[in-house]
Amino acid sequence: MLRRLALTAVVPLAVLATAVPAATASGAASSGPVPSAAPTSGPFAAARPALGPLPMPLPLPGFLDDGEGTGSGEADEARTRLTVSVENTGVPGADGTFELECGPTGGTHPEGQAACDRLAEAGATRAGRQELFRETPEGTMCTMIHGGDAFARIVGTWEGRAVDTTASRRDGCEIARWNSLVPVLPDVR
């Protein structure tokens, strides 16, 4: 077992020793021969692989973007199409069903550009992508604050992912969730 462990450690050192001295010996601060960690005798003395530059991955046009050739830049934002249905907010003009499209901004949403900006901001972080439309997990302890009878349903796609969620203001967790979705949902504070 100890012999196997020693052999496992020597092989990576031998590989590193072939690349490191060549890179450091040519520097301006080198003042002589660089000691090598490569074995000089034994079965690994001849194992000196030729290391060169690693190949760069090539983009595969049409593979990740369904053959459209647009790459991944604008395609993610353009795949945001949501239908937002809101009722019982008590705010004039906030109730109704609105269409929201991002990249370019379009639809009937009253605050379309601000809503698209909020979605882009949440999509820029991993936590935002995971949490934005996620419903409050069952069993979560929430304050018993009633924030009103407002109710919303959001259906569609966001950054290419299916969305089908509801939001209300029935307790503290749902109020915080609603507020995190403003201006996609109306501000009813």
Side-chain angles (χ1 to χ4, degrees), residues 83-102:
T83 301
V84 181
S85 301
V86 183
E87 58 188 44
N88 299 326
T89 62
V91 176
D95 291 354
T97 299
F98 308 102
E99 300 293 324
L100 175 64
E101 295 181 20
C102 299

Side-chain angles (χ1 to χ4, degrees), residues 37-138:
T40 56
S41 64
F44 298 111
R48 292 179 150 282
L51 296 177
L54 296 175
M56 295 298 293
L58 296 174
L60 300 173
F63 179 69
L64 297 175
D65 57 3
D66 299 328
E68 297 174 8
T70 58
S72 61
E74 292 182 22
D76 288 342
E77 190 176 350
R79 294 185 297 175
T80 297
R81 287 191 175 91
L82 298 173
T83 301
V84 181
S85 301
V86 183
E87 58 188 44
N88 299 326
T89 62
V91 176
D95 291 354
T97 299
F98 308 102
E99 300 293 324
L100 175 64
E101 295 181 20
C102 299
T105 303
T108 59
H109 194 283
E111 296 185 50
Q113 185 60 51
C116 288
D117 291 344
R118 172 65 184 116
L119 293 172
E121 175 187 331
T125 65
R126 182 175 182 204
R129 287 190 303 273
Q130 292 175 344
E131 301 293 328
L132 187 63
F133 291 109
R134 190 176 95 180
E135 295 187 14
T136 305
E138 189 175 325

Side-chain angles (χ1 to χ4, degrees), residues 166-177:
T166 59
S168 68
R169 299 181 62 82
R170 70 174 181 253
D171 60 34
C173 295
E174 286 296 307
I175 291 171
R177 188 165 169 261

